[in-house]
Amino acid sequence: MSKRIICVLLSVVCILCFSSCEDDSEVLINKTRYVAVVSDSDETMAAKIYCDSMGGEIIEYASSFDAVTAVRNGKADFVVLNEYEAQSFIDSKCELEFSEKCEYKLEYRAIFNFENKDLLNQFNEAIESLTNDGTFDKIKQSYIKGERFDIPDSSGEKGELVMICDPIFENRVYYNDENVLMGTDVDIAKTICAYLGYDLVIEVADFDVMFFELESGNADFIISSAEYTEQRAEYFLFSDVYSTLEYNVYTRKE
């Protein structure tokens, strides 16, 4: 009789333990993951796609510093950052580590007038070659890591090309503290022109204005973190993608 009672009790204990494990698993699966982002930014779009796929909830902050701080303080589980910002936070030893990639990314292209198709073809040839040999990736990584990329000299045998850009894109097209125009896009443009044998002249204008300047013939091309859109394609030619900006998910380092 006592053996039967013991067997029954053991069965009850096993059932309760299994039920508890199921409850814990369900809580883990259903736990809302909070993702910190900067308000009104491309990171918000990346985070939305990420949250839609895994059931997360976005919390918006005024700056990337505030978003990262929220993760460090346990107010958010993850933060979405672009490659450049993430590396700067990791380098500052802020207890942040990579979690996974976002599906969202921006693809940048050079832009030309329709009558400049020959120059477009030259750029596409250069883009293919400099992408395949890793040059463009080295340029991008140099800015992500805060290092210097040595731009090759141009022979200038084909004359000058005028590029127009808007220096408002941090890490891509911007003025440094010494008022020197630099960034991933700037170095890529210089490298393409050197590869093709052109000297590069850079002009600046507001982002919307630079399209009018190109259309008016005051510039040969635009490289300024510009993306392809169907509306722009009605008026301009777009090169192949010369660079991307990726967004990744980061979490607190244990």
Side-chain angles (χ1 to χ4, degrees):
M1 185 70 178
S2 60
K3 290 184 177 180
R4 293 183 60 186
I5 294 174
I6 291 173
C7 288
V8 171
L9 288 174
L10 287 174
S11 298
V12 171
V13 170
C14 288
I15 292 171
L16 290 174
C17 288
F18 182 74
S19 176
S20 175
C21 289
E22 282 190 321
D23 291 342
D24 290 342
S25 177
E26 185 176 351
V27 168
L28 183 61
I29 293 172
N30 294 329
K31 179 183 180 295
T32 300
R33 294 169 174 84
Y34 294 98
V35 182
V37 294
V38 180
S39 300
D40 300 321
S41 66
D42 287 312
E43 283 82 357
T44 304
M45 179 63 72
K48 184 179 185 305
I49 294 173
Y50 175 72
C51 288
D52 286 347
S53 67
M54 47 70 75
E57 184 174 324
I58 292 175
I59 308 176
E60 297 187 8
Y61 291 90
S63 69
S64 55
F65 175 80
D66 292 340
V68 170
T69 301
V71 173
R72 295 180 64 189
N73 293 340
K75 294 182 179 180
D77 301 296
F78 304 100
V79 60
V80 173
L81 299 167
N82 68 54
E83 301 164 276
Y84 297 88
E85 282 192 319
Q87 190 62 49
S88 66
F89 281 114
I90 291 172
D91 289 344
S92 65
K93 304 186 187 305
C94 66
E95 301 172 352
L96 200 68
E97 66 179 4
F98 174 84
S99 177
E100 59 185 295
K101 285 184 174 292
C102 288
E103 295 181 12
Y104 180 82
K105 65 180 179 181
L106 299 179
E107 296 182 330
Y108 299 133
R109 303 169 185 263
I111 305 175
F112 305 82
N113 283 327
F114 280 114
E115 59 269 23
N116 239 344
K117 189 171 182 179
D118 179 63
L119 183 60
L120 166 68
N121 291 335
Q122 293 181 52
F123 265 61
N124 280 341
E125 175 192 336
I127 288 170
E128 180 179 10
S129 178
L130 294 167
T131 297
N132 290 341
D133 70 10
T135 298
F136 284 171
D137 187 58
K138 290 177 183 176
I139 293 173
K140 180 179 176 181
Q141 290 302 317
S142 71
Y143 278 94
I144 289 176
K145 297 177 181 178
E147 301 172 350
R148 180 180 176 83
F149 178 80
D150 292 326
I151 301 168
D153 294 328
S154 173
S155 65
E157 61 184 9
K158 293 184 180 179
E160 290 183 346
L161 289 178
V162 178
M163 177 183 95
I164 194 161
C165 61
D166 185 2
I168 60 170
F169 301 97
E170 187 176 0
N171 300 304
R172 306 287 313 190
V173 188
Y174 68 99
Y175 284 109
N176 66 8
D177 294 338
E178 299 175 352
N179 205 36
V180 176
L181 193 64
M182 58 189 304
T184 302
D185 285 14
V186 174
D187 283 3
I188 283 177
K190 290 178 179 179
T191 302
I192 290 174
C193 287
Y195 177 90
L196 294 174
Y198 292 101
D199 287 327
L200 179 64
V201 177
I202 302 178
E203 303 287 345
V204 300
D206 290 341
F207 194 81
D208 291 332
V209 174
M210 68 183 186
F211 288 94
F212 290 105
E213 291 294 310
L214 179 64
E215 190 174 28
S216 301
N218 295 327
D220 295 296
F221 66 96
I222 291 171
I223 282 187
S224 190
S225 293
E227 299 173 87
Y228 173 92
T229 67
E230 291 184 0
Q231 183 178 11
R232 291 173 185 166
E234 293 179 8
Y235 303 97
F236 303 102
L237 294 172
F238 285 78
S239 75
D240 297 334
V241 174
Y242 65 79
S243 185
T244 61
L245 180 59
E246 296 183 359
Y247 296 84
N248 299 317
V249 181
Y250 299 84
T251 189
R252 182 173 56 185
K253 188 174 184 179
E254 298 297 336

